[in-house]
Amino acid sequence: MKKITILDIAKELNITFSTVARALNDHPAISAATKKAVRETADRLGYRPNKVASSLRSGKTKIIGVLVPRLDVSFFSSVVHGIEGVMNENGYTILLYQSQESVKQENKGIDTFLRSRVDGIIASISLETEGPGGYEEVKERNIPLAFFDRVPQGLDVPSVTIDDYRGGFMATEHLIKAGYRRIVHINGYRNVHIFNERLRGYLDALTQHGLPIDEDLIVKGDFSLEFGRKCVRDLLAKGTAFDAVFTLEDFTAMGVVQELKAVGKHVPKEVGVVGFANEAFTSLVSPAVSTLDQRTVEMGEEVAQLFLRLLKKGNYYSHKPEKIVLIPKLLVRESSSR
Amino acid sequence: MKKITILDIAKELNITFSTVARALNDHPAISAATKKAVRETADRLGYRPNKVASSLRSGKTKIIGVLVPRLDVSFFSSVVHGIEGVMNENGYTILLYQSQESVKQENKGIDTFLRSRVDGIIASISLETEGPGGYEEVKERNIPLAFFDRVPQGLDVPSVTIDDYRGGFMATEHLIKAGYRRIVHINGYRNVHIFNERLRGYLDALTQHGLPIDEDLIVKGDFSLEFGRKCVRDLLAKGTAFDAVFTLEDFTAMGVVQELKAVGKHVPKEVGVVGFANEAFTSLVSPAVSTLDQRTVEMGEEVAQLFLRLLKKGNYYSHKPEKIVLIPKLLVRESSSR
DNA sequence: GTGAAAGCGCTAACAA
DNA sequence: TTGTTAGCGCTTTCAC
């Protein structure tokens, strides 16, 4: 199949290729008859506009780079699902890159996007990323940029996040109101902003409700199901009294529940448990695990829409960046209902 | 920030832009000194090669279109994770498109990929897609194409699939060997190849083990947790005797387990249950649900590698297409262990 | 070892 | 209403 260009269509119709180009782009100054003839010939010959050529000429690719840590984490794939849906409806395509939680790989992604001349970048930074990193250059090149969930420090950019502080607060307050008093919080050992926020919410909820802050109840570690189990074992071994656990995410909460069941502690009667993220399994296990929904698809749609508004503005870095904060939804289930 | 091109670097060094181009591409005929000078100047000026221009000229974009039904389904996001990982290591970037299970949207995706002049397409068709559809044209244009999991009928193309027949057979045989005799199979109402294969495996396993085929035990429906519950209710209401259920996927299996528990039937003592897909929750619920692992990340990596081999061959449609069939892994858990 | 020049397929300003 | 023309930033052939 020979490659058909506007020149082939032009020859076929004995007109010039610029007339063909205009007809295809529905230019107002072209007669209906010409447009019709051009379109028919284009269809007949199997013409496909070459986006590469038009991008080179126009300076617009209609491609948005989306950079996420990893797509096998349901949080990120849901958000990307939301982003793609909205972008697609608006004529944009998604160029996808995974940082695999590594700064080096993240910077490679940014570099690829810059070389590819994407019309913009939507990202969520890796756990390793400390400062603005490679995103500084994106800003300098005046390429529109928006973040979701994990936003770099030291770079004033548009973003959609959930209120992790509120999430931590809501979870803890809910446990307090349910009558739990000695609430363990399992956090991550890494110094990540959103983790710190959840911790801050936990602390403030305790304080506001007149409960003491007990350092023994704040555990830092990797997050995994196994770590949740280990935490419970360690706390019991040390003889630390506790009657509830609020974890950084759901897998740890699941581990906590499993270990408590294993040692014969009833959830929620003896110990209440609340996770974070609303992973699919939390509603299916028994007891169903209370958690905070992060509104993932919505987050993707919001960041895409925010991005489209930004694109319309032009001058991407002269306005005050729009920052949307979604309130997480507390889902009270069996694990904390007594 | 002014846009830097090879011409700017050339001026800076008083050489021609073609020398710069060669230096940047590590052309053997350029002196080490020139290369060094060019690279330093490029770095200093903040030069980023324009992939759009090089693609237009070379006819290669180094972009692969990946077309999947939807990314909020963990099966697909895991596969895409695998594809991106391998492609990325090999210098390719992923252009992502979701068909949302609609043929129309799928064809729009193919069209976008063709216009974008992707170097190839990896896809999994929508549930609506019947024949070769828009993929026929991809073939005609001699653009390399590979499928995973859901492959179009009537188009002899490379693919990576799992052996759904074997999966159906393994699940059913496992239940038979565990002593179950009246095994219900919940299938989909749509005429989808992979669903039919699982059914065929179920039927053959029964026959080979000398068990009768009972049409009352074969249920067709939508797949969802709720449908699993409904099935159990209906079977009990009709008084159909059964002692095991093999479902098309895990959510239905979960519904089956929930409903059985609700009516006081013990799983696995009274009724054994096996799902399909190894969703994250299956290992976390209680009883843990036996299922078939579809080796999703591996599938993505395999299809990417298959694709890279295909690219090397050139002449994409003159060889016999390579078809890889992965054997699903039976995960025997509590729900079918008695 | 380097330079000159053509052209990939389009967009868009200017002309007629 | 249509034609002419000049690039966008590269790759690549041919020349010296």
Side-chain angles (χ1 to χ4, degrees):
Chain A
M1 201 177 207
K2 187 193 169 304
K3 275 160 198 161
I4 305 297
T5 72
I6 45 174
L7 197 61
D8 298 303
I9 300 173
K11 278 184 199 146
E12 194 88 358
L13 294 171
N14 279 318
I15 52 179
T16 58
F17 74 94
S18 66
T19 303
V20 175
R22 275 186 283 245
L24 290 170
N25 292 325
D26 208 20
H27 190 103
I30 299 291
S31 73
T34 309
K35 280 182 188 169
K36 188 159 171 284
V38 167
R39 290 213 186 103
E40 279 171 6
T41 314
D43 283 350
R44 185 162 51 75
L45 299 179
Y47 169 74
R48 297 277 164 171
N50 186 331
K51 245 186 123 212
V52 178
S54 92
S55 295
L56 177 60
R57 182 58 238 244
S58 69
K60 296 271 156 262
T61 52
K62 285 284 190 176
I63 293 176
I64 302 296
V66 172
L67 181 44
V68 294
R70 32 191 317 140
L71 220 63
D72 58 345
V73 172
S74 65
F75 173 80
F76 293 113
S77 53
S78 291
V79 177
V80 174
H81 168 74
I83 294 174
E84 202 276 335
V86 172
M87 282 308 186
N88 184 359
E89 279 171 12
N90 288 275
Y92 287 89
T93 323
I94 297 307
L95 203 59
L96 182 73
Y97 212 97
Q98 297 182 102
S99 71
Q100 318 277 10
E101 300 289 12
S102 124
V103 196
K104 201 180 154 205
Q105 181 71 3
E106 182 169 33
N107 287 334
K108 274 181 60 189
I110 295 170
D111 182 55
T112 302
F113 288 165
L114 292 177
R115 291 168 184 254
S116 303
R117 299 298 192 264
V118 295
D119 285 351
I121 296 176
I122 297 178
S124 196
I125 64 172
S126 86
L127 286 175
E128 278 181 19
T129 309
E130 296 278 356
Y135 297 107
E136 188 78 59
E137 188 175 347
V138 177
K139 187 171 178 177
E140 276 165 14
R141 287 175 189 263
N142 198 38
I143 292 165
L145 182 58
F147 290 88
F148 68 87
D149 196 52
R150 300 185 342 198
V151 182
Q153 303 282 304
L155 200 64
D156 197 32
V157 279
S159 62
V160 178
T161 50
I162 63 152
D163 193 331
D164 286 282
Y165 170 82
R166 279 279 282 278
F169 190 95
M170 285 158 79
T172 310
E173 184 171 59
H174 156 64
L175 285 166
I176 296 169
K177 288 189 173 166
Y180 300 103
R181 284 298 169 266
R182 293 194 46 83
I183 303 168
V184 172
H185 177 43
I186 305 183
N187 204 284
Y189 66 86
R190 299 213 219 199
N191 183 29
V192 174
H193 181 71
I194 59 176
F195 299 170
N196 296 339
E197 285 295 291
R198 292 180 199 174
L199 172 60
R200 210 163 60 76
Y202 160 82
L203 296 172
D204 276 12
L206 290 179
T207 308
Q208 283 192 27
H209 287 271
L211 290 177
I213 286 162
D214 184 342
E215 288 295 336
D216 289 350
L217 298 183
I218 300 169
V219 185
K220 301 232 166 188
D222 218 341
F223 36 94
S224 65
L225 188 138
E226 195 36 56
F227 186 69
R229 300 197 72 141
K230 185 179 174 307
C231 275
V232 171
R233 274 197 303 274
D234 290 352
L235 288 165
L236 292 173
K238 272 192 280 181
T240 313
F242 67 98
D243 61 2
V245 184
F246 163 47
T247 66
L248 200 64
E249 40 70 60
D250 287 329
F251 285 94
T252 314
M254 190 66 224
V256 168
V257 170
Q258 285 185 353
E259 189 66 26
L260 287 168
K261 278 168 88 174
V263 301
K265 293 247 179 220
H266 191 275
V267 177
K269 273 189 202 135
E270 290 173 86
V271 183
V273 178
V274 177
F276 208 114
N278 193 18
E279 294 282 348
F281 68 81
T282 51
S283 66
L284 301 171
V285 296
S286 138
V289 176
S290 300
T291 188
L292 286 134
D293 183 74
Q294 301 189 88
R295 305 165 69 176
T296 51
V297 177
E298 213 180 322
M299 183 176 281
E301 291 166 352
E302 285 286 345
V303 74
Q305 270 145 9
L306 177 158
F307 197 87
L308 292 167
R309 285 193 293 276
L310 185 63
L311 277 174
K312 272 199 206 105
K313 279 187 205 156
N315 247 332
Y316 313 119
Y317 293 96
S318 57
H319 312 74
K320 198 170 143 45
E322 185 180 3
K323 295 183 186 180
I324 297 176
V325 178
L326 303 175
I327 307 299
K329 215 162 29 194
L330 175 68
L331 302 174
V332 177
R333 301 207 180 100
E334 292 157 12
S335 70
S336 63
S337 305
R338 71 172 180 190
Chain B
M1 199 179 208
K2 187 195 170 302
K3 275 162 198 162
I4 305 297
T5 73
I6 47 173
L7 196 61
D8 299 300
I9 300 173
K11 277 184 198 147
E12 194 89 357
L13 294 170
N14 279 314
I15 52 178
T16 57
F17 73 94
S18 61
T19 302
V20 174
R22 275 187 282 243
L24 289 169
N25 292 325
D26 208 18
H27 190 103
I30 300 291
S31 74
T34 310
K35 280 182 188 168
K36 188 160 170 285
V38 167
R39 287 207 190 108
E40 279 171 6
T41 314
D43 283 352
R44 186 163 49 75
L45 299 179
Y47 169 73
R48 295 279 165 169
N50 186 329
K51 246 185 122 213
V52 179
S54 89
S55 294
L56 177 60
R57 182 57 237 247
S58 69
K60 296 270 154 263
T61 52
K62 285 284 189 176
I63 293 176
I64 303 295
V66 172
L67 181 44
V68 293
R70 31 192 316 143
L71 219 62
D72 58 346
V73 172
S74 66
F75 174 79
F76 293 113
S77 54
S78 291
V79 177
V80 174
H81 168 75
I83 295 174
E84 202 275 337
V86 171
M87 281 308 186
N88 184 357
E89 279 171 11
N90 288 276
Y92 287 90
T93 323
I94 298 306
L95 203 61
L96 182 73
Y97 212 97
Q98 297 182 103
S99 70
Q100 318 276 12
E101 301 288 12
S102 124
V103 196
K104 200 179 155 205
Q105 181 71 3
E106 183 169 32
N107 288 333
K108 273 181 62 188
I110 296 170
D111 182 55
T112 303
F113 288 165
L114 292 176
R115 291 167 184 254
S116 302
R117 300 298 193 263
V118 296
D119 286 351
I121 296 175
I122 296 179
S124 196
I125 63 171
S126 87
L127 285 175
E128 278 182 19
T129 310
E130 297 277 356
Y135 297 108
E136 189 78 57
E137 187 175 347
V138 177
K139 187 171 177 176
E140 276 165 14
R141 286 175 189 263
N142 197 39
I143 292 165
L145 183 57
F147 290 89
F148 68 88
D149 197 51
R150 301 189 334 201
V151 182
Q153 304 281 306
L155 201 64
D156 197 33
V157 279
S159 62
V160 178
T161 50
I162 62 152
D163 193 332
D164 286 282
Y165 169 80
R166 278 280 281 277
F169 191 93
M170 285 158 80
T172 311
E173 183 170 60
H174 157 64
L175 285 166
I176 295 169
K177 287 189 174 166
Y180 300 103
R181 285 296 170 268
R182 292 193 47 83
I183 303 168
V184 172
H185 177 43
I186 305 183
N187 203 285
Y189 67 86
R190 298 213 219 200
N191 183 27
V192 174
H193 181 70
I194 59 177
F195 299 170
N196 296 339
E197 285 293 292
R198 292 180 199 174
L199 172 60
R200 210 163 60 76
Y202 161 81
L203 296 172
D204 276 11
L206 291 179
T207 308
Q208 283 190 28
H209 286 271
L211 291 176
I213 287 163
D214 184 342
E215 288 296 335
D216 289 349
L217 299 183
I218 300 168
V219 186
K220 303 232 166 190
D222 219 338
F223 36 95
S224 66
L225 189 139
E226 196 36 58
F227 186 69
R229 299 196 72 141
K230 185 178 174 306
C231 276
V232 171
R233 277 197 303 273
D234 290 354
L235 287 164
L236 293 173
K238 273 193 281 180
T240 311
F242 67 98
D243 61 4
V245 184
F246 163 49
T247 66
L248 200 64
E249 40 70 61
D250 287 329
F251 285 93
T252 314
M254 190 67 224
V256 168
V257 170
Q258 286 184 353
E259 189 65 26
L260 288 168
K261 279 167 88 173
V263 300
K265 293 249 179 222
H266 190 275
V267 177
K269 274 189 200 133
E270 291 173 87
V271 182
V273 179
V274 177
F276 208 115
N278 193 19
E279 294 281 348
F281 68 81
T282 52
S283 67
L284 300 171
V285 295
S286 139
V289 176
S290 300
T291 188
L292 285 136
D293 183 75
Q294 302 188 86
R295 306 165 70 176
T296 50
V297 177
E298 215 179 321
M299 184 178 280
E301 291 167 351
E302 284 286 345
V303 74
Q305 270 146 9
L306 176 159
F307 198 86
L308 292 166
R309 286 193 293 276
L310 185 64
L311 276 174
K312 273 199 206 105
K313 277 187 205 155
N315 248 331
Y316 314 119
Y317 292 95
S318 57
H319 311 74
K320 197 172 144 43
E322 185 180 2
K323 295 183 186 181
I324 296 176
V325 179
L326 302 175
I327 307 299
K329 215 163 27 196
L330 175 68
L331 302 174
V332 177
R333 301 206 181 99
E334 293 158 12
S335 71
S336 64
S337 305
R338 71 171 180 190

